[in-house]
Amino acid sequence: MKNLKKIAITLLVLFMLVPSFVFANSVEETPELKAKIENIVKTMPEDKAIDAIEELFGENNTFYFSNSFLRSINNFAIYKLDSENISKSEKAFNENSYIEVEDGFVNIYLETQYMSYLGKKADVTKVTVLGKSGKKYEGVIGNTKPAIQGTGKQVPADITIKVPVSEIENGIGNYNSTLKVQFETNLRDSFSILGGIFPDAMINPKARLAFNK
């Protein structure tokens, strides 16, 4: 009975804390905020503009209380393109996703889930591997599902990509191989007046798939 009381108290505390984490970056879309973001985009380099916009939304302090936070990918990670930090794009794929190298090809299977960003929810709509040769390898959509925004649109439920091992680049962290990749999302659909002014790299980010061959 004492243990049950402790569990109940712990759960109560967690639920009391959820709003302060989940909605900390819930920002009202206003003409004033739009003007501020437009000024940031016009006056700053893209990477600095993204940092500044994320700061406006409290993105760096956000705790993702969703399925994506609980996901654990077994054999690969997704890193930012220009740093050794994990990309937020990793939150867009669940634990059934994997990468394997076989018979001279990298076989990529990505099973999607919504991701939270800037206080909104979005889906990945397209994945393209950018080979070191300059060739692009577009993901093949398998099953589809309704978009998270409830717009009636369909988005990929799973995506597969086959890439020759000759396109593999140097590894990072605990992984000996990487592939550059670009994700397209429907994040703009989650905003009423702000979606069209965000830098494209926020909506359709580039990153690196890191894995072992």
Side-chain angles (χ1 to χ4, degrees):
M1 183 61 71
K2 288 183 178 180
N3 288 336
L4 287 175
K5 287 183 178 179
K6 288 181 180 179
I7 292 172
I9 292 171
T10 301
L11 289 172
L12 177 61
V13 171
L14 281 173
F15 281 114
M16 290 174 66
L17 290 174
V18 166
S20 65
F21 284 118
V22 178
F23 303 112
N25 65 341
S26 181
V27 177
E28 183 181 358
E29 295 183 63
T30 63
E32 292 77 18
L33 180 59
K34 181 180 179 182
K36 186 176 292 187
I37 294 174
E38 286 175 331
N39 183 61
I40 289 172
V41 173
K42 289 177 181 177
T43 59
M44 293 184 179
E46 188 173 67
D47 58 338
K48 299 297 183 184
I50 291 173
D51 288 342
I53 294 169
E54 288 183 346
E55 188 67 28
L56 276 178
F57 282 81
E59 182 66 27
N60 295 332
N61 300 317
T62 301
F63 181 90
Y64 292 93
F65 208 89
S66 67
N67 291 338
S68 58
F69 177 76
L70 302 175
R71 179 191 55 73
S72 176
I73 284 181
N74 293 326
N75 73 339
F76 74 97
I78 304 177
Y79 284 82
K80 291 184 176 181
L81 187 64
D82 54 0
S83 78
E84 295 190 359
N85 296 323
I86 294 294
S87 169
K88 291 183 175 69
S89 303
E90 188 171 83
K91 299 176 182 297
F93 307 103
N94 68 24
E95 69 278 0
N96 295 322
S97 306
Y98 63 86
I99 295 178
E100 62 180 12
V101 180
E102 187 177 28
D103 298 330
F105 287 92
V106 182
N107 299 306
I108 304 166
Y109 174 76
L110 301 172
E111 197 166 292
T112 66
Q113 62 183 15
Y114 78 82
M115 61 178 293
S116 299
Y117 185 53
L118 303 183
K120 302 291 185 178
K121 295 176 182 178
D123 306 288
V124 168
T125 57
K126 184 178 179 180
V127 181
T128 304
V129 170
L130 311 173
K132 68 178 181 182
S133 68
K135 186 175 180 179
K136 296 182 179 181
Y137 301 84
E138 188 172 319
V140 177
I141 297 172
N143 299 305
T144 61
K145 61 185 179 181
I148 191 66
Q149 297 93 345
T151 57
K153 297 178 181 179
Q154 292 288 305
V155 298
D158 56 83
I159 298 171
T160 57
I161 315 172
K162 193 169 188 175
V163 183
V165 293
S166 59
E167 299 286 15
I168 290 176
E169 300 191 48
N170 293 334
I172 184 174
N174 295 322
Y175 302 93
N176 60 29
S177 306
T178 60
L179 286 168
K180 290 188 179 73
V181 65
Q182 179 160 17
F183 303 106
E184 294 187 15
T185 78
N186 58 7
L187 181 63
R188 294 192 195 280
D189 292 344
S190 296
F191 290 89
S192 56
I193 66 173
L194 301 180
I197 62 176
F198 293 124
D200 191 63
M202 294 185 72
I203 308 300
N204 306 310
K206 292 181 180 178
R208 288 177 290 176
L209 298 176
F211 57 97
N212 289 314
K213 62 179 179 179

